[in-house]
Amino acid sequence: MPQFLNSKDADFEARFVDLLSMKREDSPEVDGIVADIIADVRARGDAAVIELTSKFDRLDLTPDTLRYTTDEIDAECAKVSDADRAALELAADRIRAYHARQIPDDQRWTDETGAELGWRWSAVSAAGLYVPGGLASYPSSVLMNAIPAKVAGVERLAITVPTPDGIANPLVLLAARIAGVDEIYRIGGAQAVAALAYGTETIAPVDKITGPGNAFVAAAKRRVFGKVGIDMIAGPSEILVIADGDNDPDWLALDLMSQAEHDESAQSLLITTDEVFGRKVAQAVDERLETLERREIAGASWRDFGAVIAVADLDEAAALSNRIAPEHLELCVADPEALSSKCIHAGAIFLGQWTPEAIGDYVGGPNHVLPTARSARFSSGLSVMDFLKRTTLARMTPAALSEIGPAAETLAISESLEAHGLSVRARLDALND
Amino acid sequence: MPQFLNSKDADFEARFVDLLSMKREDSPEVDGIVADIIADVRARGDAAVIELTSKFDRLDLTPDTLRYTTDEIDAECAKVSDADRAALELAADRIRAYHARQIPDDQRWTDETGAELGWRWSAVSAAGLYVPGGLASYPSSVLMNAIPAKVAGVERLAITVPTPDGIANPLVLLAARIAGVDEIYRIGGAQAVAALAYGTETIAPVDKITGPGNAFVAAAKRRVFGKVGIDMIAGPSEILVIADGDNDPDWLALDLMSQAEHDESAQSLLITTDEVFGRKVAQAVDERLETLERREIAGASWRDFGAVIAVADLDEAAALSNRIAPEHLELCVADPEALSSKCIHAGAIFLGQWTPEAIGDYVGGPNHVLPTARSARFSSGLSVMDFLKRTTLARMTPAALSEIGPAAETLAISESLEAHGLSVRARLDALND
């Protein structure tokens, strides 16, 4: 059973704060191990990567077999069914179309002093994408990470995917091919992150690393940050559904379970203006939990972290939603647009009952890599922007420098930065001669 | 004397790689101390902040005097000269005008299936800006951090600035006022970062913390990252000047010194197509170093990390510049636009000999918080975007769901995420009934 809260209850605020501050993740202490692995890869390159892959993935590689050949990729891709291939291609097309609209414009203008100002966007030259192996080896995540990089114009996109016991996921390789990935390495763990960040004899270093992973991968990404860019460190998945009573309880039960089935640490929340309806959804969840394949995981998540919250009206719902800052926010109400405009902090919003969150995981178009753990208060999902950087541009004319240079000199003097001031003064003096 | 390199020399590549990989920063091991300070502030709030401020800043505060009152700010601002005030206002106006152009548009469209897609930008609700005390207490940095936040629409902007022995910098307070800062606290160090991130009885927590600081502040920002957003952890400043022989050696010497005077760890590099001119610039630096107020600092930086690199042509210069990925790039050549288009990785570019880098530090308009240590390969300077986040939006219609839902179901099944697939299937079945 999940928790049931009602905003009218005297202890509501305390219970809501508890819900917000629940610690859902164990952080195993792996930082020391990861530091050693990174140092080893930096020192010994391919040899270290090969040794660690043999140890952790029970897979014996050589410098020549670290990377998949085109023939090997062809062979794996040929195993994919036509239906799966068509679904991946439909998803890729929609993700590409959505992200293509994110490419920002360069700007350039001349201001009233005659100074030319602006900025210019350019792509990261090389990016690396970490793809988990085993159960969490999701082809959809390959599309969601790789397509924005390619849309941004990243020239060289490498992925690493561990293949324990040499068993590959054909769908992952096909997704990589569809997304335009340039290099695929059959390695994983902290050693893969280290190889991407620092390079080895076989693997050229990249400038940015994205993609999900276990505690070792997350710790490695934190450690190489600065040497390369990284994306966010994602926590367990979350959904908040805000619903009135005019919904099918089973639909919402399935939406809640589609987060809960990811992970025992996932959190599924329902806020409803209709307390009786809330109970019906909980009942529908219980029924679905009898048969779901992942009922152990989904059930544990729902029991430990799930909640049904009854509120007086949708304004109250929006206010609570903004405190939660959910990764996924589903608005199953009569006027989802109106409610959406009040829900400021959320990674992704799904409007109306015909938009189950799972659509956004696969084929909607928006990215499914989204801020977790209340970080939607200050951060955004993955986008083309993560693979671009901005260079600012300024060009003074003698007239512009005459007009604004003296203020720069004044401020430099006030900050005791004499050479700053003199670099302007020398030019101003030349103009006055 | 700086290093002199020539790309024709047999040992050039090795020496250039050495120059690129020079370790310029000592990272003192303060992480343990910082962890204790953060834990103390979380546990004891104001009391801890007050105790630490007494210890480190020799300043005795109470919960009532942590924050500057309006009268106190008035009194400090009144000490600023008219010339300094006018210079700050000119700078603020120009920074505001530049950053106002960075506000991105929301997007919303209907695709060929009838699905509505898009995204919406919103501001971080509350931001905190760390301002260093003492020597590095720069009013220009207050403008550069605070104005983008306010342009983005941040409702509550708090700054912390340590005031050792109670001595304030009136220019910092005036800059904060001009920029529209809402709250000013006279605290600093890791305790200030902890107070901003977690809140105390007196200081409400913020969602994002930006601004430069010493090793303790940097370590604290790393530690609170995740709880709040942070900006980059900036390293020592850098400039690369690319020049042909048709320049005044003294101007470029001053430009190089305007970085070197920041910090003994700063790096000033000159790449020139005219080796003889390069020697003249080095000679001009030596002459300036005889009289500069900060000659000890600037001289040490130039001696230890400075370099003059002679190249055959500007294409070679651009290629080296892209490997350096400089924070500041000054292009003192006949056609700076043409050269700029080849210099892909740089935080800020200053075009032509009338644009000394110092203009960008104060009054140019672009931000002076820029990526250091080669991170311009994958990151950008501070901007309005740092105080905004994007929420993606999707709304399916029954027809759109019918068209793309089956592909989502297929992919969910292929990833063994049954509830994902069922959440789509339940709706598709309702449509088919």
Side-chain angles (χ1 to χ4, degrees):
Chain A
M1 288 285 279
Q3 293 191 55
F4 289 87
L5 286 74
N6 191 313
S7 65
K8 287 183 302 195
D9 293 343
D11 63 349
F12 174 75
E13 178 61 23
R15 289 184 64 196
F16 184 74
V17 168
D18 281 350
L19 195 68
L20 271 189
S21 52
M22 266 185 172
K23 189 165 163 53
R24 291 187 282 133
E25 244 188 326
D26 281 334
S27 307
E29 197 30 82
V30 300
D31 200 48
I33 301 168
V34 166
D36 290 344
I37 290 175
I38 293 174
D40 193 20
V41 172
R42 289 184 70 175
R44 297 195 300 131
D46 283 344
V49 172
I50 288 169
E51 223 173 270
L52 291 160
T53 302
S54 174
K55 178 175 167 189
F56 293 121
D57 295 340
R58 300 163 304 280
L59 176 66
D60 291 320
L61 298 172
T62 66
D64 288 337
T65 57
L66 278 173
R67 182 173 168 183
Y68 277 93
T69 64
T70 303
D71 287 349
E72 287 168 337
I73 300 169
D74 286 345
E76 292 294 335
C77 290
K79 299 176 185 170
V80 176
S81 73
D82 287 349
D84 282 348
R85 179 186 295 266
L88 275 179
E89 280 173 352
L90 181 144
D93 287 346
R94 293 188 57 86
I95 296 164
R96 202 176 286 116
Y98 182 94
H99 287 77
R101 293 181 182 244
Q102 292 179 329
I103 300 173
D105 290 328
D106 294 347
Q107 298 270 349
R108 200 68 186 272
W109 67 94
T110 304
D111 74 11
E112 66 285 359
T113 70
E116 284 180 54
L117 298 170
W119 61 80
R120 190 181 69 196
W121 293 94
S122 57
V124 167
S125 294
L129 161 56
Y130 189 89
V131 181
L135 255 189
S137 174
Y138 295 138
S140 59
S141 290
V142 174
L143 299 182
M144 291 291 180
N145 280 270
I147 290 173
K150 280 296 176 183
V151 168
V154 170
E155 279 181 23
R156 179 179 158 249
L157 178 58
I159 78 175
T160 63
V161 53
T163 54
D165 301 306
I167 298 164
N169 180 342
L171 280 162
V172 162
L173 296 175
L174 180 58
R177 171 161 286 179
I178 289 171
V181 168
D182 301 292
E183 303 165 13
I184 308 177
Y185 298 94
R186 52 187 120 212
I187 57 175
Q191 59 274 19
V193 175
L196 288 171
Y198 290 97
T200 68
E201 301 89 325
T202 304
I203 304 171
V206 301
D207 302 304
K208 175 125 190 176
I209 299 176
T210 72
N214 62 18
F216 291 87
V217 171
K221 280 170 68 180
R222 276 189 192 274
R223 283 211 158 249
V224 302
F225 175 53
K227 165 68 179 162
V228 299
I230 62 169
D231 62 345
M232 68 195 85
I233 307 283
S237 196
E238 310 146 9
I239 190 169
L240 168 61
V241 179
I242 300 180
D244 55 29
D246 193 17
N247 278 282
D248 184 326
D250 184 51
W251 294 10
L252 302 199
L254 287 166
D255 297 348
L256 294 167
M257 288 306 98
S258 74
Q259 292 309 303
E261 73 175 346
H262 269 296
D263 189 338
E264 294 183 1
S265 310
Q267 184 166 50
S268 299
L269 304 174
L270 171 67
I271 297 183
T272 179
T273 48
D274 183 336
E275 187 166 11
V276 174
F277 174 77
R279 298 267 168 193
K280 285 184 192 162
V281 172
Q283 195 180 338
V285 168
D286 288 344
E287 285 162 22
R288 286 291 185 176
L289 280 175
E290 287 172 21
T291 57
L292 272 183
E293 285 165 17
R294 289 179 175 244
R295 56 185 171 274
E296 294 292 330
I297 293 170
S301 158
W302 181 238
R303 180 190 67 225
D304 294 340
F305 305 116
V308 176
I309 305 174
V311 292
D313 55 38
L314 292 177
D315 281 345
E316 210 172 67
L320 294 179
S321 174
N322 284 331
R323 292 175 66 187
I324 295 167
E327 181 190 13
H328 304 100
L329 176 59
E330 219 176 273
L331 304 180
C332 298
V333 296
D335 187 351
E337 294 285 349
L339 181 55
S340 162
S341 69
K342 296 173 189 164
C343 296
I344 304 304
H345 307 306
I349 297 182
F350 303 86
L351 297 153
Q353 61 183 0
W354 294 103
T355 319
E357 185 278 327
I359 283 291
D361 284 336
Y362 296 113
V363 297
N367 211 286
H368 79 195
V369 181
L370 293 165
T372 58
R374 305 189 61 222
S375 63
R377 291 175 297 123
F378 54 81
S379 64
S380 312
L382 196 71
S383 78
V384 168
M385 310 293 281
D386 290 285
F387 299 97
L388 295 172
K389 64 268 186 339
R390 188 188 342 74
T391 299
T392 62
L393 301 167
R395 180 174 196 165
M396 296 296 127
T397 59
L401 192 69
S402 298
E403 192 168 335
I404 68 174
E409 188 186 18
T410 298
L411 291 170
I413 292 167
S414 80
E415 293 186 353
S416 300
L417 293 171
E418 186 192 15
H420 284 67
L422 288 173
S423 73
V424 176
R425 173 50 48 197
R427 288 161 167 98
L428 293 176
D429 285 347
L431 288 172
N432 293 335
D433 276 351
Chain B
M1 289 284 279
Q3 294 191 55
F4 288 87
L5 286 74
N6 191 311
S7 64
K8 286 183 306 195
D9 294 342
D11 63 351
F12 174 74
E13 177 61 24
R15 288 183 65 196
F16 184 74
V17 168
D18 281 350
L19 195 66
L20 271 190
S21 52
M22 265 184 174
K23 189 164 162 52
R24 290 187 282 135
E25 248 187 321
D26 280 335
S27 307
E29 197 31 81
V30 300
D31 200 47
I33 302 168
V34 165
D36 290 343
I37 290 174
I38 293 173
D40 194 20
V41 172
R42 289 185 69 174
R44 297 196 300 131
D46 283 346
V49 171
I50 287 168
E51 223 173 271
L52 292 160
T53 303
S54 174
K55 178 175 167 189
F56 292 122
D57 295 340
R58 301 163 304 280
L59 176 66
D60 291 321
L61 297 174
T62 67
D64 288 337
T65 57
L66 278 173
R67 181 173 168 184
Y68 278 92
T69 65
T70 304
D71 287 349
E72 287 169 337
I73 300 169
D74 286 344
E76 291 294 334
C77 289
K79 297 176 185 170
V80 176
S81 73
D82 288 349
D84 281 350
R85 178 186 294 265
L88 275 179
E89 283 172 351
L90 181 144
D93 288 345
R94 293 187 57 87
I95 295 164
R96 202 176 286 118
Y98 183 94
H99 287 77
R101 293 181 181 245
Q102 292 179 329
I103 300 173
D105 290 328
D106 294 347
Q107 298 269 350
R108 200 71 186 270
W109 66 95
T110 303
D111 74 11
E112 67 285 359
T113 70
E116 282 179 56
L117 299 169
W119 61 81
R120 189 181 70 195
W121 293 94
S122 57
V124 167
S125 295
L129 162 56
Y130 188 90
V131 181
L135 256 189
S137 174
Y138 296 137
S140 58
S141 290
V142 175
L143 299 181
M144 292 290 181
N145 280 271
I147 290 173
K150 279 296 174 183
V151 168
V154 171
E155 277 179 26
R156 177 177 161 250
L157 178 59
I159 78 174
T160 62
V161 53
T163 54
D165 302 306
I167 298 163
N169 180 343
L171 281 162
V172 161
L173 295 175
L174 181 58
R177 171 160 287 181
I178 290 171
V181 168
D182 301 291
E183 303 165 13
I184 309 177
Y185 298 95
R186 51 189 121 213
I187 58 175
Q191 59 273 21
V193 175
L196 288 171
Y198 290 98
T200 69
E201 301 89 327
T202 303
I203 304 172
V206 302
D207 302 305
K208 174 126 190 175
I209 300 177
T210 71
N214 62 18
F216 291 86
V217 172
K221 282 170 66 181
R222 277 188 192 275
R223 282 209 159 250
V224 301
F225 175 55
K227 166 69 179 158
V228 299
I230 63 168
D231 63 343
M232 68 193 86
I233 307 282
S237 195
E238 312 147 6
I239 189 170
L240 168 61
V241 179
I242 301 180
D244 57 28
D246 194 17
N247 278 282
D248 184 327
D250 184 51
W251 293 10
L252 302 200
L254 286 165
D255 298 347
L256 294 167
M257 288 307 97
S258 73
Q259 290 309 302
E261 73 176 346
H262 270 295
D263 190 337
E264 292 183 2
S265 309
Q267 183 166 52
S268 299
L269 304 174
L270 172 66
I271 297 183
T272 179
T273 48
D274 183 335
E275 187 167 11
V276 174
F277 175 77
R279 298 268 168 191
K280 284 184 192 161
V281 173
Q283 195 180 339
V285 168
D286 288 344
E287 285 164 22
R288 286 290 184 177
L289 280 175
E290 286 173 20
T291 57
L292 273 183
E293 285 164 16
R294 289 177 175 246
R295 57 186 171 272
E296 294 292 331
I297 293 169
S301 158
W302 182 239
R303 179 191 66 225
D304 294 341
F305 304 116
V308 176
I309 304 173
V311 292
D313 56 39
L314 291 178
D315 282 344
E316 210 172 66
L320 294 179
S321 175
N322 284 331
R323 292 175 66 187
I324 295 167
E327 181 189 14
H328 303 101
L329 175 59
E330 218 177 273
L331 303 181
C332 298
V333 297
D335 187 351
E337 293 286 350
L339 180 55
S340 162
S341 69
K342 295 174 190 164
C343 296
I344 303 304
H345 307 308
I349 297 182
F350 303 86
L351 298 153
Q353 62 184 1
W354 294 102
T355 318
E357 185 279 325
I359 283 291
D361 284 335
Y362 295 112
V363 296
N367 211 286
H368 79 194
V369 181
L370 293 166
T372 58
R374 305 190 59 222
S375 63
R377 291 175 297 125
F378 55 81
S379 63
S380 310
L382 196 72
S383 78
V384 168
M385 310 292 282
D386 290 286
F387 300 96
L388 296 172
K389 65 267 187 336
R390 190 191 337 79
T391 298
T392 62
L393 301 167
R395 180 173 195 165
M396 296 295 126
T397 60
L401 191 69
S402 298
E403 191 168 337
I404 68 174
E409 188 186 18
T410 299
L411 291 170
I413 292 167
S414 80
E415 293 185 354
S416 301
L417 293 171
E418 186 192 16
H420 284 65
L422 289 173
S423 73
V424 176
R425 172 50 49 198
R427 289 162 167 97
L428 293 177
D429 285 348
L431 287 172
N432 295 334
D433 275 350

